[in-house]
Amino acid sequence: MAKLLPHLETFENPNAWATGPKLKDEHIVAIAENFTKLNAIINIEMWHITNTGITNMAQAMGGKLLDLRINGSIYYLADSALSAIANYCPNLKTFQYKLSWGYSAAKDYLSGRGIVNLCARCRRLEILVLKDARNLTKEHCEEILRMIEEGDEGKFALRKIDLQGCYPFVVKEHPLRVVDKETR
């Protein structure tokens, strides 16, 4: 397939919600390894894709990965996989993580500290979208904002943070947004 589509830059899983076969760890890693021009992986449903698959995909993509959008479902994203994304994909510009199903605290291993780490290591990150990442607190958001505000000019590219879901410190209709320093 990679030989037929040598210039493929974006892989989007349009059938994440459909019945039938689901992507597995080995599929997402093979996609990352074989499509050499790929820089965006969108709508990855963690139905049969585990944190190990996400980690291995991040390692295979490395600095080429610019846009990553993950939906937690059977499996939830964990700090270990997020740390791998932060370490292996420093050029990431867009990161989105949303829960697709009802929330389960027993499966939630993604911490606010992990999200802060992603923002600190992926300095080119422009857009951060989180839905129901319930371990993210107001203090974590403030730490991210301080990091951006106190950083040297051009040190951080983050310009938009959208929080959706259960955040007692954010009004759903008015998600937290980072304002560009130059436009203040």
Side-chain angles (χ1 to χ4, degrees), residues 93-125:
K93 290 184 176 187
T94 299
F95 179 76
Q96 174 180 293
Y97 176 65
K98 295 182 174 186
L99 291 181
S100 303
W101 298 85
Y103 179 77
S104 170
K107 297 192 305 184
D108 192 355
Y109 297 108
L110 183 64
S111 72
R113 175 67 24 222
I115 295 165
V116 169
N117 182 49
L118 177 77
C119 293
R121 291 188 177 193
C122 296
R123 302 288 175 98
R124 295 185 174 136
L125 187 66

Side-chain angles (χ1 to χ4, degrees), residues 9 63 77 82 94 102 127 147 149 158 161 170:
E9 293 180 358
L77 191 64
L82 193 61
T94 299
I127 300 169
M147 207 169 34
E149 191 172 274
L158 191 59
I161 301 173
V170 176

Side-chain angles (χ1 to χ4, degrees), residues 21 29 46 52 62 67 76 103 108 113 122 134 140 164 172:
V29 173
M46 291 182 74
T52 300
D67 188 342
Y76 286 17
Y103 179 77
D108 192 355
R113 175 67 24 222
C122 296
R134 295 188 185 189
H140 293 118
Q164 305 162 7
K172 189 174 183 181

Side-chain angles (χ1 to χ4, degrees), residues 47-145:
W47 189 273
H48 291 298
I49 296 176
T50 66
N51 284 289
T52 300
I54 297 291
T55 297
N56 293 337
M57 176 273 307
Q59 186 173 12
M61 288 295 298
K64 298 183 307 180
L65 188 60
L66 303 178
D67 188 342
L68 180 59
R69 302 176 199 192
I70 301 170
N71 300 319
S73 56
I74 299 298
Y75 296 102
Y76 286 17
L77 191 64
D79 274 353
S80 58
L82 193 61
S83 180
I85 294 165
N87 289 333
Y88 294 120
C89 308
N91 299 321
L92 195 64
K93 290 184 176 187
T94 299
F95 179 76
Q96 174 180 293
Y97 176 65
K98 295 182 174 186
L99 291 181
S100 303
W101 298 85
Y103 179 77
S104 170
K107 297 192 305 184
D108 192 355
Y109 297 108
L110 183 64
S111 72
R113 175 67 24 222
I115 295 165
V116 169
N117 182 49
L118 177 77
C119 293
R121 291 188 177 193
C122 296
R123 302 288 175 98
R124 295 185 174 136
L125 187 66
E126 296 174 3
I127 300 169
L128 175 65
V129 179
L130 301 169
K131 180 180 179 196
D132 289 331
R134 295 188 185 189
N135 294 325
L136 180 71
T137 66
K138 182 178 182 179
E139 290 74 26
H140 293 118
C141 289
E142 289 171 349
E143 184 176 349
I144 292 168
L145 294 175

